[in-house]
Amino acid sequence: MGLRDIAPKITVPGRIEVLPVEKHVSPAGYALHAINSSDVEVLKICFVFHAGVKYQTRPFQASATLSLLSEGTQKYTSKEIAEKMDFYGIYFDANIDRDYSVITVCCLKKFLDPSLDLLKEIMTQPTFPENELRLHCAKRMQAIRIEREKVDYQAREKFAEALFGPDHPYGTIPDIDAYNDLTTESLENFFNRHYTFENSFCVVSGQIDDADIENILRVGDSLPRGMNLDRNFPVVSVPRNVYVEKPEVLQSSLRIGKVLFNRTHPDYIGMQVVSTLLGGYFSSRIIRNIREDKGYTYGAFAGMVNMEDSGFFAVSTEVAAQFTDEAVAEIVKEIEQLREQPVSEEELSTVKNVMIGDIIRVLDGPFGIADVTVENLSNGEDNAYIDRMIEEINRTTPERVRQLAVRYLAPDTLTFVTVGKSSKQSL
């Protein structure tokens, strides 16, 4: 037997060495977290604001505010901003979720000063031009109309509503016509309340020196002052069964899950192991069952979703409509089996390798570390959480998996959402 016939030994690391994160605070108190990598002559600058969708006082207000920050300021029109970004090779991105918004700029180190000047203008002097607002609203209304024709999009919205209720900011499904009610004044109000010095922090990665840190801190110091509006929204959830009939579709979209907890809970990482085993990688149990064995679907996913005020477990898939009921039954069967029989050491070892491999992949390079740092800081953690997560994954036992499944995944406590048609209607 030659060397090429012997598979290399797989070693799961007990910890991962990542570039250190250094915290810097301006005299005024603004916090910047720096990840220095001398090999990368590019800087990635992330300004994080507690300005997610849950804080809006009217539908679409938060996302529209973020989108229009770069569409006109006191100095520049949207066209001039775009031209400056092109001239200096600036990558600009703005993302929002339920809890936070993140403004990201990637630029060459040699163009940091003009990039910061433009970023400061965008984050402190937006004008939310009426013509740009109306154009944004028209585009988004059309995009959402198209998306809401798709069963997977409808299932995602209905699942959130079923879990959290229509009145909770995590669960509400806004009427698309609410875009017509957005005004420049409403966007200005949201901006003034949430895009403030007290309501943000910054993470920077790449080739950073002390002068760069001082310049970026000055941008943070220039943010308008305002009250810290951090607040929680209590979650009350009960199991529901939701069925939205779409008789014309060829596929049904399924969501199965329940409200549990976020990353602050001691069982969160353990439940990540449970969900990965069920549907978190290509050879997971649900995928082997309803894709490989039964041919009901091209793919499925199970995972834990973390939010500031809550978190939930979910299984999602799109299946051939004639197998809708059968697919639900098979997913429940896999959950029940996990509750009744301990997983083998071999299968659990594979799951651990997959999870830790994913962590290593995400942490590849300073920009990936920056993204993880933003997530950890947003959850009140530092990057020591990485080692805690790996340690918890490695010490998870088959019995621990079974106990967690018994404790949290009783089928009668789950919410079921189907958008499409049942198997009986497909015949």
Side-chain angles (χ1 to χ4, degrees), residues 229-277:
L229 298 176
D230 185 11
R231 56 197 178 100
N232 294 327
F233 295 82
V235 175
V236 178
S237 181
V238 296
R240 293 178 175 88
N241 290 321
V242 177
Y243 174 62
V244 179
E245 184 178 355
K246 303 283 286 186
E248 75 282 1
V249 300
L250 299 178
Q251 284 191 319
S252 295
S253 186
L254 309 177
R255 297 293 187 276
I256 301 171
K258 66 182 295 187
V259 172
L260 287 176
F261 33 70
N262 60 19
R263 294 198 334 175
T264 63
H265 194 281
D267 287 340
Y268 185 84
I269 296 173
M271 281 303 297
Q272 283 186 298
V273 177
V274 172
S275 60
T276 302
L277 198 154

Side-chain angles (χ1 to χ4, degrees), residues 38 87 165:
S38 59
F87 182 80

